[in-house]
Amino acid sequence: MNITTCIFDLDGVIVDTAKYHFLAWKRLAREQFNRDFSIHDNEQLKGVSRVESLNILLRICEQDVPENVKLLLADLKNKWYVEYIKKITPDEILPGVLKFLEELKSQKLKIALASASKNARLLLDRIELTNMFDCIVDGTVVTRAKPDPEVFLKCAEDLDMEPEGCVVFEDAIAGIEAAHAGNMYAVGVGDRHILYKADMVISSFKEINIDSILNLPNLKKYE
Ligand code: G6P
Ligand code: MG
């Protein structure tokens, strides 16, 4: 099957927002529970929804709070996070991303955005990339979190493309698993020791071009 579509995760793939999520979660742990939240702890939150991230943080901080308080805490963290991303500019698009997207477009491949974030559109507007995508599926639309393939399958459906012709770019293990669960190829963006389940791993978009993607069918497909 020919590759027709490239589907991009947002946080950690197109822009490095993990640091802003981290700063906001760290502040929540410090101000609400007087606990430290480390960059190592933060690894567990990548690709994970806001509410589930809060549950993980509460476990790490050994806190048990009622559901109504959880909503307040999640809102507080989001308020701080939004303050950070409102200041983001197109300069923060990760190296090589723009050139790669433009290459895909010039070759008439479809480009989709698949993110668990409810702030995805705000972020895309800030980095001036909204119009680059043929389809945007974000946390306001999906009901099942990665590793469920819903977010990626919805992109394929919206674009009227077969999942087997889609390549997903992901920095989170759960995202790689979700792509495979949807019968799509997965390119890991980050550390190959962490993302070893991917069909191919890059540390930056400066390392690939469209030929690397069109040759993907030669790789062994994940069973
Ligand atoms: C992405 C990020 C996660 C974040 C989630 C929800 O998947 O990798 O760290 O928790 O989106 O983001 P939101 O902006 O809706 O809180
Ligand atoms: Mg991500």
Side-chain angles (χ1 to χ4, degrees):
M1 161 94 53
N2 287 338
I3 300 298
T4 59
T5 308
C6 288
I7 305 178
F8 293 82
D9 174 45
L10 177 60
D11 293 290
V13 169
I14 288 181
V15 62
D16 180 19
T17 42
K19 61 185 177 208
Y20 300 121
H21 281 295
F22 171 58
L23 288 172
W25 286 125
K26 191 178 170 67
R27 181 171 170 190
L28 193 78
R30 172 58 59 208
E31 289 189 11
Q32 299 295 315
F33 309 121
N34 199 24
R35 296 290 289 257
D36 193 32
F37 183 74
S38 71
I39 192 101
H40 172 74
D41 296 330
N42 192 57
E43 275 302 310
Q44 297 180 51
L45 309 190
K46 285 189 179 168
V48 177
S49 74
R50 194 182 307 167
V51 173
E52 188 46 31
S53 295
L54 176 65
N55 285 331
I56 295 171
L57 179 135
L58 291 172
R59 275 202 294 280
I60 291 170
C61 294
E62 300 168 301
Q63 302 292 322
D64 193 12
V65 301
E67 290 302 315
N68 61 331
V69 177
K70 278 189 191 174
L71 290 180
L72 294 174
L73 291 172
D75 281 353
L76 190 56
K77 178 267 169 180
N78 191 55
K79 187 170 91 68
W80 294 330
Y81 175 68
V82 168
E83 279 167 17
Y84 288 121
I85 62 170
K86 273 190 175 158
K87 293 183 199 140
I88 285 183
T89 69
D91 289 346
E92 290 191 51
I93 297 173
L94 287 167
V97 169
L98 216 46
K99 186 164 174 280
F100 184 61
L101 288 173
E102 278 160 3
E103 198 185 354
L104 295 176
K105 234 183 181 39
S106 73
Q107 297 296 315
K108 308 266 185 285
L109 268 80
K110 293 285 180 198
I111 309 175
L113 194 285
S115 169
S117 174
K118 292 185 162 77
N119 295 302
R121 282 186 181 268
L122 168 66
L123 194 51
L124 285 177
D125 282 351
R126 288 299 312 155
I127 58 176
E128 298 173 14
L129 274 190
T130 308
N131 293 335
M132 185 59 96
F133 293 92
D134 299 299
C135 152
I136 296 173
V137 179
D138 66 16
T140 63
V141 181
V142 290
T143 53
R144 296 188 298 277
K146 302 168 191 173
D148 188 287
E150 182 188 12
V151 68
F152 299 135
L153 291 175
K154 183 128 191 16
C155 289
E157 193 187 315
D158 286 2
L159 292 169
D160 203 15
M161 293 294 172
E162 296 296 330
E164 289 81 0
C166 296
V167 181
V168 169
F169 294 86
E170 257 291 348
D171 69 319
I173 301 164
I176 304 288
E177 290 171 350
H180 286 154
N183 217 15
M184 298 177 177
Y185 289 99
V187 175
V189 184
D191 185 329
R192 65 184 61 251
H193 299 292
I194 297 175
L195 304 174
Y196 63 91
K197 286 186 181 169
D199 299 290
M200 171 182 169
V201 180
I202 54 173
S203 56
S204 149
F205 279 92
K206 288 197 291 192
E207 288 169 21
I208 53 166
N209 59 29
I210 194 161
D211 292 333
S212 343
I213 297 311
L214 298 179
N215 287 332
L216 266 174
N218 297 330
L219 292 177
K220 185 179 172 300
K221 188 123 197 241
Y222 182 87
E223 301 295 343

